[in-house]
Every structure is written in C-alpha cells, then in structure tokens.
C-alpha cells in the first residue's frame, strides 16, 4: 500500500486524488506501526524486549532521515520524480526485508483473555500524538518561510528531526529498562513539552535543538509506550498496542485539521500552532504523571 500510494501521488490528479492516496499511505503506516512492534516483541527474549522495541523505531528514524536527504535531491527532477523516487526506495526496502519479517506464534498474536484498559497509556500517548503535529507538519516550513532560511535548510530541519528520532528510539528502550514504562512515559512527555517550547523564541539558534529534541521526543515516546504496553499486559500487549496506535492516529488527524485551521486564521502564525502543540503536550504530561502517581488500570 505504501509503495502504491507514493507512486500514485506522482500523477497530478487533483486534490481528491492526492487526498485519497495520502490517506492510504497513512493507513499503511498505521498498520506497520501497529504490527511491527508487537511482532518483534513476541519473538524476542523478555530481557531484550525494551532494546528491541527501540531498534524497531530506529528503523522509522532512519527512514525519516533518509527521506529528508533524498527529497531535496529528487526535487531537482520535479515533484513527480520525488514521489517516484520514494516509491522506488520503499519497494526495494520491502523486497529486501520481507523474507526476514518475524513470525510470532499464534498464542502471542491472538492470546486468550482480556487485555487491561491501560487508559493512562492510551490517553497520554494520544495527547502526545496531537502535540507532535506542529513539529511533524510545520517544522520545515518554520525554518524555510517562518525564519526565512529557504527550502534547503528547511529540509535540513527534517534531517535533524530524523537524527533525533534515531537517538530517541534507542535511548527510549534503555530508559524503560532503567525506570519502567510508566515513569519513562512521564519523562518523555517532559522532553516533548520542552521541545515544543523551543519553537516559540524567534532566535535562529533554537532551530538546531528544536529539530533534534522534537525527533527525540517523537519516536522515544513510541518506544516507551510500546514497552509500557508489554509491562502492563504481557502476551496481550499487542491488543493494547493496537488501541494505543489507533488513539495516536485519531488524535493526530483531529489535531492536524484543527491546527491547519488555526494556522489559517492566525495569518500563518507558526507561534500559534506550536503554542497549541505545547498545551496539548502539557495535558499529556499531566495524564502521564497521574498514571505514574496513581497507577491507573
């Protein structure tokens, strides 16, 4: 689906065409996020699961960085070439890695019993997803137009974001090993709130830590949430992870529309959308703190 969506976006079929295929790309990404983590966890020894979860998200961070490096180069051949190039790379990666996909036992993917609600993880992770919309959608534009640095340096912000993602994914697994899932989520919500606050000053120097820390928060929170789901439910973690991923995706979709409207009515104010993301992140921080303090079910 991802390869097909990228290739279809290369054709100029209008907004409805682009919207449909971008939606399908989102569906494919959601399925991969929902399946990859629990599948790897199910075939990994318990003592290595936190680190393995970090390595799964390391791949996501690596893909972000690769895409950020590729797109400016591909754009020299036009938008069509950029979309086809992304489709080609995704196809090659899929063909090479598909034979190595983990094969978890059926008892791990469809276990008996009922998973705990895990409301603290679901709500905190959903608010994290909503708060991360500004750096995910407006980070490059903030540098390129908001700070007047141009398209190339704007793409460079996405490279920084990807590098931060790689670091956050790896260190997130270690943080869970050291502190446990509940406390690790709380720590990452603090980091995310700091990242969003870095977008508010007008100084150019804050763009460097903004890109890195935003990426660190974005994939680190996914790593620790996956580990927290495993802590909370054991073999039923896959059930919780699907709920958590769905909550994250729905929250990002709603936040994306809302912040796009806010961006328009504030005359394209980057400060307004990043401030809104900061408020959502702080709300997630409160939920994570309550979950850690009172250990919700």
């Amino acid at each position: 689906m991802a390869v097909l969506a990228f290739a279809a976006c290369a054709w100029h079929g209008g907004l409805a065409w682009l919207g449909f295929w971008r939606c399908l790309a989102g569906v494919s990404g959601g399925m991969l996020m929902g399946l990859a983590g629990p599948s790897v966890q199910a075939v990994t020894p318990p003592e290595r699961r936190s680190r393995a979860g970090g390595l799964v998200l390391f791949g996501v961070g690596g893909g972000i960085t690769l895409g950020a490096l590729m797109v400016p180069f591909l754009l020299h051949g036009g938008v069509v070439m950029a979309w086809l190039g992304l489709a080609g790379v995704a196809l090659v990666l899929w063909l090479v890695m598909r034979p190595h996909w983990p094969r978890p036992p059926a008892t791990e993917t469809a276990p008996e019993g009922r998973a705990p609600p895990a409301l603290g993880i679901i709500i905190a992770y959903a608010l994290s997803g909503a708060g991360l919309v500004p750096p995910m959608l407006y980070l490059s534009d903030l540098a390129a137009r908001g700070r007047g640095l141009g398209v190339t340096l704007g793409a460079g912000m996405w490279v920084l974001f990807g590098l931060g993602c790689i670091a956050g994914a790896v260190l997130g697994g270690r943080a869970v090993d050291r502190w446990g899932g509940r406390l690790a989520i709380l720590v990452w919500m603090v980091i995310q709130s700091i990242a969003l606050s870095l977008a508010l000053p007008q100084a150019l120097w804050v763009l460097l830590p903004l890109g890195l820390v935003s990426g660190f928060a974005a994939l680190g929170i996914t790593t620790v949430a996956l580990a927290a789901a495993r802590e909370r439910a054991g073999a039923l973690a896959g059930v919780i992870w699907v709920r958590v991923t769905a909550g994250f995706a729905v929250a990002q979709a709603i936040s994306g529309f809302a912040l796009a409207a806010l961006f328009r009515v504030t005359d394209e104010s980057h400060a307004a959308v990043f401030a809104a993301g900061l408020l959502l992140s702080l709300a997630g921080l409160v939920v994570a703190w309550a979950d850690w303090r009172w250990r919700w079910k």
Side-chain angles (χ1 to χ4, degrees):
M1 284 194 294
V3 172
L4 181 61
F6 292 154
C9 286
W11 184 65
H12 192 346
L15 182 60
W17 174 270
L18 180 66
F20 172 78
W21 291 107
R22 291 289 291 124
C23 180
L24 190 65
V27 171
S28 68
M31 291 179 66
L32 288 169
M33 290 293 289
L35 293 171
S39 297
V40 171
Q41 297 275 300
V43 297
T44 304
E47 67 276 7
R48 298 176 58 191
R49 281 173 178 161
S50 295
R51 187 171 298 180
L55 289 175
V56 171
L57 279 303
F58 179 93
V60 179
I64 291 171
T65 304
L66 177 62
L69 291 171
M70 284 176 52
V71 168
F73 174 76
L74 292 171
L75 280 173
H76 289 298
V79 175
V80 171
M81 179 59 69
W83 281 115
L84 292 177
L86 289 173
V89 171
L91 177 62
V92 170
L93 289 172
W94 174 56
L95 290 174
V96 171
M97 298 310 302
R98 182 63 186 88
H100 305 288
W101 191 261
R103 300 178 182 273
T107 54
E108 287 282 348
T109 55
E112 297 295 330
R114 186 175 181 181
L119 290 177
I121 295 177
I122 294 172
I123 297 173
Y125 192 53
L127 287 168
S128 170
L132 284 168
V133 167
M136 288 181 170
L137 292 186
Y138 297 96
L139 181 62
S140 291
D141 190 59
L142 171 65
R145 294 194 306 132
R147 300 294 186 265
L149 298 178
V151 174
T152 301
L153 290 179
M157 289 297 297
W158 204 236
V159 175
L160 292 175
F161 186 91
L163 294 175
C165 285
I166 292 172
V170 174
L171 294 180
R174 296 189 178 185
V176 171
D177 288 337
R178 189 178 186 89
W179 300 326
R182 276 187 166 99
L183 181 55
I185 289 177
L186 176 59
V187 170
W188 247 262
M189 290 309 304
V190 171
I191 294 171
Q192 178 173 322
S193 299
I194 293 172
L196 270 294
S197 68
L198 288 172
L200 302 182
Q202 292 292 315
L204 291 178
W205 67 267
V206 301
L207 293 176
L208 176 60
L210 170 61
L212 290 170
V213 180
S214 296
F216 187 87
L219 277 199
I221 189 66
T222 303
T223 303
V224 299
L226 174 60
R230 169 63 64 173
E231 277 183 1
R232 196 76 55 94
L236 289 157
V239 178
I240 292 182
W241 187 241
V242 169
R243 298 171 186 168
V244 168
T245 302
F248 185 92
V250 170
Q252 283 214 319
I254 295 172
S255 178
F257 278 107
L259 292 180
L262 177 63
F263 194 58
R264 181 176 182 179
V265 300
T266 57
D267 196 24
E268 299 189 354
S269 170
H270 293 92
V273 295
F274 276 92
L278 175 59
L279 291 176
L280 290 166
S281 301
L282 290 173
L285 172 59
V286 171
V287 173
W289 177 82
D291 185 51
W292 171 68
R293 180 67 178 80
W294 288 299
R295 303 187 70 81
W296 293 351
K297 295 294 184 181

